[in-house]
Amino acid sequence: MRKAIPLDAVVFNAAIYPRSTQNAQTVARYAEAMASGQVFPPIVLEQDTNWLLDGWHRWQARRKCAAEPSLTGDFSSIACDWHVVPAGLPAKLYAASLSARHGDRIDRDDLKSVARETIEANPSFSMQTVAQSLGVHR
């Protein structure tokens, strides 16, 4: 289901965020494009919690636009899709799988960190399962 929600309805949970750092240049570039009228793909939230699974840079760019008084237009909301994290799959691994395939892709060090954390917390997971989730070769 896709709809626009208020920016402050998005819940950032650092425990499931797969990146070690954010890219300020990406936020600035996205904000400039948004201000010029470009439409971006919706962010992805976890159903029932509104935890941000994918789209941190887009969300922050939208917030940057909303805080800029010289911009015309309504930047107080953002388009989003809700996903259900598959049963048995850690939310952080699912979030990383979304960020690994488009936009400002998650870097290899963060992918390795998510893989390591997932295997340590879920010894029954195979490396092949984790690699497939992240879209990388084992």
Side-chain angles (χ1 to χ4, degrees):
M1 169 176 47
R2 179 174 296 169
K3 72 176 213 173
I5 65 166
L7 292 171
D8 60 2
V10 175
V11 179
F12 178 73
N13 180 345
I16 67 163
Y17 187 67
R19 297 175 190 269
S20 58
T21 61
Q22 295 84 27
N23 188 328
Q25 290 178 335
T26 297
V27 171
R29 191 173 65 247
Y30 286 4
E32 184 175 353
M34 287 176 184
S36 74
Q38 286 190 18
V39 177
F40 280 71
I43 62 172
V44 178
L45 304 178
E46 182 183 37
Q47 189 171 309
D48 299 326
T49 65
N50 279 358
W51 285 356
L52 182 65
L53 295 172
D54 184 49
W56 187 91
H57 292 93
R58 285 171 275 156
W59 176 52
Q60 291 302 308
R62 193 80 179 176
R63 291 178 62 184
K64 183 178 177 92
C65 289
E68 180 54 56
S70 66
L71 292 180
T72 58
D74 182 10
F75 292 98
S76 65
S77 63
I78 191 164
C80 66
D81 285 335
W82 282 271
H83 288 197
V84 174
V85 176
L89 196 66
K92 188 172 191 173
L93 178 61
Y94 187 71
S97 76
L98 297 172
S99 293
R101 291 175 170 78
H102 66 84
D104 189 8
R105 288 182 172 83
I106 190 168
D107 69 33
R108 291 198 69 65
D109 288 339
D110 286 337
L111 287 172
K112 286 179 185 179
S113 177
V114 169
R116 189 176 312 108
E117 181 180 320
T118 300
I119 292 297
E120 288 173 359
N122 304 279
S124 64
F125 274 39
S126 71
M127 281 302 288
Q128 184 63 31
T129 299
V130 173
Q132 284 178 333
S133 294
L134 298 175
V136 296
H137 186 271
R138 184 173 183 269

